[in-house]
Amino acid sequence: GQNIDQPTEMTATEGAIVQINCTYQTSGFNGLFWYQQHAGEAPTFLSYNVLDGLEEKGRFSSFLSRSKGYSYLLLKELQMKDSASYLCAVRDSNYQLIWGAGTKLIIKP
Amino acid sequence: DVKVTQSSRYLVKRTGEKVFLECVQDMDHENMFWYRQDPGLGLRLIYFSYDVKMKEKGDIPEGYSVSREKKERFSLILESASTNQTSMYLCASSLTPEVTGELFFGEGSRLTVL
């Protein structure tokens, strides 16, 4: 079956760095997405990786290793507003998205 | 600014009632999707549509139907609501997958079935 694994919850300190991991087993691969979802709000797009390597976008970076079925989202200089759930999703060979359950990130002052 | 609008943020219905959830997008996107989101689970696809009057079943279509009469509007219908359909329902739209295919989500409709 198809499966996306990510930690349920993580805690980090304001100003620090946190890495949220995502491992996947899917039928084919056509890209990996990260979305941010604040409590009670809609998910919003953060990043897209289809080739191996690191994609940097301001304080957020996303890494992909297709051979390992592994990605991470790196958040630097954490701010209180980064407290949210982070959703990992993989697009399979049929261009369907398979979603992880999300990682709730708690930022402490 | 791109926008996906869902008709109701919160609904409370009784078992057996018919429920309509409407979604409108203003981005001229071909693709529209209905997901449900439950605690501890990833988003689960109910139905999707790649064109007007076209619909495809997702992973959990049982108990649901959809309608897409116009490109910008995609409706989710629960013919006879049941308590296990209490959930957050998210509508999304996207361009074709070949163009990244990122999803734009509505604010969600939280449905409680009593």
Side-chain angles (χ1 to χ4, degrees):
Chain A
Q2 307 203 89
N3 194 52
I4 310 285
D5 283 318
Q6 47 182 135
T8 303
E9 187 173 295
M10 299 181 70
T11 301
T13 305
E14 191 177 13
I17 299 172
V18 70
Q19 177 176 310
I20 302 174
N21 295 325
C22 171
T23 58
Y24 63 89
Q25 290 178 303
T26 56
S27 303
F29 179 85
N30 279 300
L32 184 143
F33 295 82
W34 284 97
Y35 284 79
Q36 180 190 59
Q37 186 177 25
H38 286 100
E41 298 183 11
T44 55
F45 171 79
L46 284 178
S47 68
Y48 170 70
N49 295 69
V50 67
L51 299 175
D52 290 350
L54 188 69
E55 294 278 344
E56 296 187 76
K57 195 184 289 187
R59 293 189 299 114
F60 293 9
S61 303
S62 56
F63 172 82
L64 174 67
S65 169
R66 288 173 296 171
S67 63
K68 295 182 179 178
Y70 168 70
S71 172
Y72 67 73
L73 181 69
L74 191 72
L75 291 73
K76 302 176 185 175
E77 301 169 16
L78 286 170
Q79 302 175 10
M80 297 303 293
K81 67 178 182 180
D82 297 329
S83 292
S85 288
Y86 292 86
L87 313 181
C88 174
V90 174
R91 195 159 57 193
D92 68 12
S93 56
N94 294 318
Y95 281 88
Q96 298 305 312
L97 280 174
I98 313 300
W99 294 84
T103 299
K104 183 177 181 180
L105 178 63
I106 300 168
I107 309 297
K108 295 187 174 179
Chain B
D1 199 17
V2 297
K3 199 155 180 71
V4 178
T5 303
Q6 294 185 225
S7 55
S8 305
R9 290 296 304 274
Y10 302 94
L11 304 96
V12 180
K13 298 292 182 180
R14 297 206 175 273
T15 301
E17 281 192 273
K18 192 169 186 176
V19 182
F20 290 91
L21 299 178
E22 293 205 309
C23 175
V24 178
Q25 51 97 1
D26 64 0
M27 297 165 282
D28 202 34
H29 284 170
E30 294 88 356
N31 308 323
M32 296 190 75
F33 306 83
W34 275 106
Y35 287 93
R36 65 177 282 176
Q37 185 175 36
D38 298 291
L41 298 177
L43 294 179
R44 291 184 290 169
L45 182 63
I46 304 171
Y47 268 96
F48 60 100
S49 170
Y50 287 148
D51 202 351
V52 175
K53 297 199 186 285
M54 177 271 180
K55 59 186 177 184
E56 293 284 345
K57 293 180 179 179
D59 301 317
I60 52 164
E62 296 78 17
Y64 304 94
S65 62
V66 290
S67 172
R68 194 168 182 197
E69 295 296 317
K70 294 184 178 181
K71 188 176 185 179
E72 68 270 18
R73 189 179 298 269
F74 193 37
S75 301
L76 180 70
I77 303 147
L78 289 68
E79 292 289 342
S80 178
S82 62
T83 54
N84 62 12
Q85 292 179 311
T86 291
S87 186
M88 171 69 85
Y89 291 88
L90 291 168
C91 175
S93 70
S94 74
L95 289 168
T96 57
E98 289 75 21
V99 187
T100 305
E102 68 180 88
L103 294 176
F104 294 86
F105 285 89
E107 292 289 321
S109 298
R110 184 168 292 283
L111 172 66
T112 301
V113 183
L114 302 176

